[in-house]
Amino acid sequence: MFSPTGAMVAEARAAGGAVGAFNLITVEHAEAIVTGAEAAGLPVVLQISENAVRFHHGRLAPIAAAARSIAESATVPVGLHLDHVTSDELFDQAAAHGFGSAMYDASTRPYQENVAATAAAVRRAHAHGLWVESELGEIGGKDGAHAPGVRTDPEEAAAYVAATGVDALAVAVGSSHAMQARTARLDHRLIARLHVAVPVPLVLHGSSGVPDDELVRAVHAGMAKVNIGTALNSAFTGAVRSTLGDDATLVDPRRYLATARSAMADTVAGSLRLLAPHVTAAT
Ligand code: G3H
Ligand code: ZN
């Protein structure tokens, strides 16, 4: 069933866990994410990024409608989130297309501009009942806020949240987007300090590159929403490559998309189990 992201995150946090949020590109991704969540018996968030919308020729409606419909027919709570939005025009479409939440990403702008644009976006979104996530960017940073060396300062984060009114904050604590190897090391002391300083839920981006035990520790330290994208695409593409490699005569896309979908579902179920409350970190 469809569920608002904000309520799901609050509930997971209250129980000591985090909500897994997975980026979808195709309908098969959405189906796999929900199948994985149903297998784990846990809530999940479907995320559509601005980049994914661009892939769909800039049209939000068809892929959003498919995701929303898949969410509604699920047997577990499923949220719908518009991710990493830099365009005001796209951001303002979120509520009308059935999203419960959206990320306004002004992280590449100078701090004061980020604050002003995000505060205005939050006001507009709240008028439509949306839950808004945003992030602090590295001023002038080439790789963005989630490059491995970048860190979010707890005091600045608290001031940023107060000035913008955001409902959740993506923080830079050692992860980095689009990693294919799971070698990221998180700054757990910083996560704990951010958890104390920042009055809204914390979001971990670039989680594909974070090993299992690090993810579990991050949730214990206070992460409330964990974003995963690349790991699904690795599973998808690996399955397609292997299925096509096994049979040079295969032309029916359903055959290789089915293997891709099931590989993604397994990845989702495994990740969600790690983020659930009461999972113990390996030491
Ligand atoms: O917002 C999306 C996530 O941060 C995905 O990052 O593709 O590195 O897992 P990832
Ligand atoms: Zn991200």
Side-chain angles (χ1 to χ4, degrees):
M1 74 266 345
F2 172 78
S3 184
T5 309
M8 294 167 68
V9 170
E11 205 170 304
R13 209 45 242 158
V19 173
F22 296 85
N23 286 78
L24 66 92
I25 300 172
T26 67
V27 169
E28 286 74 18
H29 282 73
E31 291 170 333
I33 294 163
V34 168
T35 300
E38 288 176 338
L42 290 164
V44 78
V45 174
L46 299 174
Q47 302 196 135
I48 302 175
S49 71
E50 183 175 275
N51 284 337
V53 175
R54 198 169 294 131
F55 168 73
H56 290 291
H57 307 295
R59 287 196 285 268
L60 177 61
I63 190 69
R68 172 81 195 211
S69 172
I70 289 164
E72 280 168 5
S73 61
T75 59
V76 292
V78 180
L80 188 58
H81 178 84
L82 194 57
D83 196 30
H84 280 293
V85 184
T86 61
S87 146
D88 286 283
E89 196 203 338
L90 179 63
F91 184 80
D92 291 344
Q93 293 178 43
H97 288 285
F99 289 83
S101 58
M103 176 190 190
Y104 189 79
D105 186 354
S107 62
T108 56
R109 304 198 209 171
Y111 181 82
Q112 288 304 343
E113 251 185 60
N114 182 347
V115 167
T118 304
V122 166
R123 277 194 295 276
R124 299 196 304 275
H126 281 177
H128 296 283
L130 279 182
W131 185 86
V132 182
E133 173 185 332
S134 74
E135 80 176 52
L136 272 183
E138 184 200 19
I139 297 167
K142 181 169 154 260
D143 298 325
H146 298 292
V150 177
R151 295 290 183 273
T152 301
D153 174 71
E155 270 178 36
E156 189 179 52
Y160 176 86
V161 168
T164 57
V166 289
D167 302 298
L169 188 68
V171 288
V173 293
S175 59
S176 183
H177 280 111
M179 286 176 69
Q180 293 183 37
R182 301 184 71 195
T183 53
R185 289 278 162 244
L186 302 181
D187 188 336
H188 298 283
R189 244 174 58 87
L190 177 59
I191 298 172
R193 286 176 56 214
L194 286 162
H195 186 44
V196 170
V198 177
V200 296
L202 302 177
V203 184
L204 183 67
H205 280 244
S207 310
S208 294
V210 181
D212 285 358
D213 58 331
E214 290 277 299
L215 276 181
V216 172
R217 288 181 63 195
V219 173
H220 283 193
M223 282 296 169
K225 175 171 176 276
V226 172
N227 288 7
I228 299 176
T230 303
L232 294 196
N233 297 330
S234 296
F236 182 120
T237 306
V240 170
R241 196 171 273 135
S242 138
T243 309
L244 292 177
D246 287 347
D247 183 355
T249 67
L250 198 167
V251 293
D252 184 342
R254 287 169 296 191
R255 295 266 306 284
Y256 55 84
L257 288 176
T259 61
R261 194 170 50 186
S262 117
M264 288 190 285
D266 291 346
T267 303
V268 170
S271 302
L272 287 178
R273 288 189 184 107
L274 287 174
L275 306 177
H278 315 306
V279 174
T280 313
T283 47

